[in-house]
Structures are given as structure tokens and as C-alpha cells.
Amino acid sequence: MSDTHEDRRQQMVETVAPRVDDDRVLEALEAVPRHEFVPPDRRDSAYADRPLPIGDGQTISAPHMVAIMADLLEADPGDDVLEIGTGCGYHAAVTAELVGDENVYTVEYGEELARQARDRLAELGYDGVSIRVGDGREGWAEHAPYDAAYLTCATPSLPEPVVDQLRPGGQLLAPVGTGRQRLVAATKRSDGSLARTERGGVRFVRMRG
């Protein structure tokens, strides 16, 4: 890896640092080579704080959004985390830095994106991340219950199966809305209901399927 990539990554971390409370999130961003997750012709922009296209109509989220979501999720080492929308695998790698790669389970609708993400994550040492091709609305019941879950794509409402697969006290993050989207943070109560808060307006690609 070139010094240029390392320098740019450090600058990216410094840019997003004011938005993050947990230093572990900044360490995770510093550890993951974001340029490895973007198409070769986009690598010069890999550490810019903006989303980038990754093919198949999908994007890699802006670094500040990945950082904010990781911070809000409050996941600890050993927590089992469900991700809906693997994309290129970058967000999963950041999550893996926080909880351990063997504790990350991610669902991707696009078969080719899932294959590429699986190969890339393995090459970079995150081979414990589990990836399934399927409809993210269904979650991944086989590995439930999860300590936390998040969506990297917008949904009209929080998917009930994903809510059901959270343990009581578990955290859920998702961009909710069809036109105007809001980042919703929710905690699952012991009775199965959700305590919800809104964390501001966001713009994500819509969930497919």
C-alpha cells in the first residue's frame, strides 16, 4: 500500500472525527483500506468524504455516514451483528474491526456484488464475515438473535423479520423513507416493541427486491 493511500486515509479519519464519540470507530476506519473496496478507476477518490458508485446501481457510503452508523450502533467485541446490504463489503469490514469478523453476518441482494465482496473481504483478512445472497427484508434467521443490526439501503419501514431477529436490548439502525429519508435508531424492548429516535435526514439507495 502506498504512503499516499495511508496519508489520505488518515486525513479522512481526521475529517470525520468530530462526528464520532467512540475512538474505536476511528481506529476501525484507519485500519480498513477503503481504496480496496472501490473500482480501480475511482481509487483516487477513495478517501473523499462522499459516496461512490460501485456498480450494479449501488454505492459505497460516504465515510462520515459509515462512521456515524458505527458509532450509533455501539457494538462491542464479540457482539453478533447483522448487516442488510453488503455492497462492496467496506461497511462490513469496519464492523468486523469493532466486533470481530466471525461475528458479522451480511445479506446482499445482488449475486455478483456478494461474490466480489466475499472475495475482497477474504483477501484483506476478513474471511470470517458470513455473506448470504437473498432478500434483506428477511434478515438471516439462522444466526439470530443478533446484538445489533443495520441497513445500508433505504427501506419504507423497519423490516419485521429483522426486528424479530434482534435480541431484547439490541440496536437497529436504518434509513427509513421512500422520498425523504431519516436515519432511525431503535432499541428493542423486552416486550418486542421498539424505542425509536430519528438522527437526521440521509440519502441512501433504495433496498432492492
Side-chain angles (χ1 to χ4, degrees), residues 38-78:
V38 303
D41 63 344
R42 299 279 181 175
R43 287 193 173 170
D44 285 348
S45 303
Y47 294 103
D49 192 17
R50 64 174 187 265
L52 295 170
I54 57 171
D56 203 17
Q58 304 303 297
T59 60
I60 179 174
S61 292
H64 78 269
M65 185 53 60
V66 175
I68 288 169
M69 291 181 71
D71 199 35
L72 289 172
L73 210 61
E74 298 180 341
D76 294 317

Side-chain angles (χ1 to χ4, degrees), residues 15-98:
T15 298
V16 305
R19 300 178 182 235
V20 173
D21 291 328
D22 189 346
D23 286 344
R24 294 185 312 124
V25 172
L26 300 179
E27 291 167 5
L29 290 176
E30 197 166 351
V32 180
R34 191 172 190 260
H35 64 278
E36 297 284 0
F37 291 88
V38 303
D41 63 344
R42 299 279 181 175
R43 287 193 173 170
D44 285 348
S45 303
Y47 294 103
D49 192 17
R50 64 174 187 265
L52 295 170
I54 57 171
D56 203 17
Q58 304 303 297
T59 60
I60 179 174
S61 292
H64 78 269
M65 185 53 60
V66 175
I68 288 169
M69 291 181 71
D71 199 35
L72 289 172
L73 210 61
E74 298 180 341
D76 294 317
D79 281 357
D80 288 327
V81 179
L82 173 65
E83 174 186 73
I84 305 302
T86 315
C88 63
Y90 175 72
H91 202 144
V94 172
T95 303
E97 288 286 340
L98 295 169

Side-chain angles (χ1 to χ4, degrees), residues 28 35 44-45 58 85 90-91 105 119 127 135 149 151 171 178:
H35 64 278
D44 285 348
S45 303
Q58 304 303 297
Y90 175 72
H91 202 144
Y105 303 89
D119 291 347
D127 48 336
D135 187 344
L151 280 68
Q171 300 290 318
T178 49

